[in-house]
Amino acid sequence: LAAREGQGVFTVADAMGNPGQRMLSTVTRNPGAGRTQAVEFLDARQAEQGRRLAGTLDEGFGASRTAAQLRAAEQGTRSSEAARNYTQARTDAGAVDLSRALAKADDVLEPGLTRVMSPQSGIADNTVESAVRRARSLLTDGKSVLSDFSQVHLAKQNIDDMIEAAMRGGQNNQVRALIGVRNEIDAALEASSKSYAAARDAFRASSQTMEAIDTGRAAAQRGRYEDTIPQFQRMNEAQQQGFRTGYADPLIERVQGSASGVNKAREFTSDAAREERRAFALPGELGIMN
């Protein structure tokens, strides 16, 4: 069976487990032709262990492309689809009404506006107000308001970048305030173009697949399987494959980078590794991989 699955170096001693290994060790400790053959075989097998393990991980998780290669392919697909979909959305678009988005920003800035009316106060904006004021300035200069679909969509993308930067910096209050404004802009764009929602959802789905690559990579490096497995199970099929590729990537890196003579398979014998293999492996690959 092992030979049919391409695992020709799997021996009777392996199949017998500890008793078989003990008997083989007796052969390797006693002089003679048997010892020479066994030692040469084991040395050759050990030398190729990294290549075999990398191949097994590749097949078991469907990681024939590296995480970087998959990400580049997904980015290319996302860009070409976005160009086509958003061109159609712009063609369908009418004027964009940003009144609700501006009202949402003003709900946050009302105290700030009061201070503007009271020049004797030198109190500066807090960080939330400053972020929302910057977002509002992308939509209006106080006299005119954007209404062109392309310009409003560009402003939304700038606010998306602000949200991402605030998330990286742990500025949760800024994130919440900016998301409120961004969501109103998104609703206004959707109301102005019948094709916008489909273009946005397609871009979002492709982005989530790319994010799943990083999530999988992180799962292979840290975290408890009680958390990583439910995280994987909540993903759709495309995201799960991105996760698998990201998960396999650092495992293969470690196998390929381990020193010669080290048992590269040892890290895959832990309880966590077994549970994650059971959850993440491609259908039908778990038994062979184990």
Side-chain angles (χ1 to χ4, degrees):
L1 175 62
R4 286 201 304 270
E5 296 295 345
Q7 299 185 27
V9 293
F10 188 80
T11 69
V12 173
D14 296 310
M16 293 174 65
N18 184 258
Q21 293 166 24
R22 289 173 64 88
M23 285 188 282
L24 183 59
S25 71
T26 301
V27 175
T28 61
R29 285 198 299 266
N30 289 282
R35 172 182 178 174
T36 300
Q37 292 175 9
V39 170
E40 287 179 351
F41 170 82
L42 291 172
D43 284 345
R45 185 169 81 164
Q46 184 64 22
E48 291 296 316
Q49 186 191 38
R51 190 183 301 275
R52 290 195 311 278
L53 281 171
T56 299
L57 293 167
D58 182 335
E59 294 174 5
F61 293 116
S64 57
R65 289 183 290 184
T66 67
Q69 290 169 342
L70 179 60
R71 184 180 290 105
E74 288 290 337
Q75 284 176 332
T77 301
R78 184 180 69 170
S79 296
S80 61
E81 288 182 349
R84 180 175 62 255
N85 293 340
Y86 281 115
T87 295
Q88 183 61 49
R90 283 191 292 271
T91 301
D92 296 339
V96 183
D97 178 9
L98 289 176
S99 57
R100 291 178 62 87
L102 292 173
K104 192 72 174 180
D106 290 342
D107 286 344
V108 177
L109 295 173
E110 190 68 29
L113 295 176
T114 302
R115 287 200 295 273
V116 171
M117 300 299 294
S118 306
Q120 68 272 19
S121 172
I123 301 175
D125 281 348
N126 60 44
T127 57
V128 175
E129 291 169 334
S130 178
V132 173
R133 193 180 303 282
R134 180 184 168 204
R136 190 182 191 278
S137 71
L138 296 171
L139 309 177
T140 179
D141 59 4
K143 299 177 182 178
S144 58
V145 179
L146 295 182
S147 61
D148 176 73
F149 178 91
S150 295
Q151 292 181 331
V152 174
H153 186 242
L154 182 60
K156 174 189 169 293
Q157 290 175 320
N158 276 273
I159 294 171
D160 283 335
D161 291 340
M162 293 171 61
I163 292 170
E164 186 175 343
M167 290 176 67
R168 288 197 302 268
Q171 303 293 328
N172 295 331
N173 290 332
Q174 286 187 39
V175 170
R176 282 192 291 271
L178 288 170
I179 284 178
V181 177
R182 190 276 311 278
N183 287 350
E184 291 295 348
I185 298 172
D186 199 54
L189 287 166
E190 186 173 348
S192 76
S193 171
K194 63 182 181 181
S195 304
Y196 172 73
R200 175 203 59 204
D201 293 346
F203 186 88
R204 185 176 296 164
S206 184
S207 298
Q208 288 171 341
T209 299
M210 292 168 58
E211 290 167 5
I213 298 172
D214 295 327
T215 304
R217 186 176 185 88
Q221 296 171 319
R222 60 185 179 275
R224 296 174 55 172
Y225 65 83
E226 295 94 339
D227 297 323
T228 59
I229 292 175
Q231 189 177 37
F232 173 82
Q233 292 170 336
R234 288 192 295 267
M235 296 178 174
N236 63 33
E237 186 176 347
Q239 292 165 9
Q240 286 184 345
Q241 189 50 52
F243 182 103
R244 287 189 188 100
T245 301
Y247 181 83
D249 220 42
L251 302 183
I252 294 173
E253 285 176 6
R254 292 202 293 268
V255 163
Q256 292 177 336
S258 297
S260 177
V262 172
N263 183 3
K264 300 174 176 65
R266 187 180 299 279
E267 69 169 293
F268 304 110
T269 63
S270 69
D271 290 343
R274 284 195 296 269
E275 291 298 325
E276 290 184 337
R277 267 201 311 282
R278 183 178 295 118
F280 303 156
L282 282 172
E285 291 290 337
L286 178 63
I288 297 170
M289 184 157 51
N290 282 342

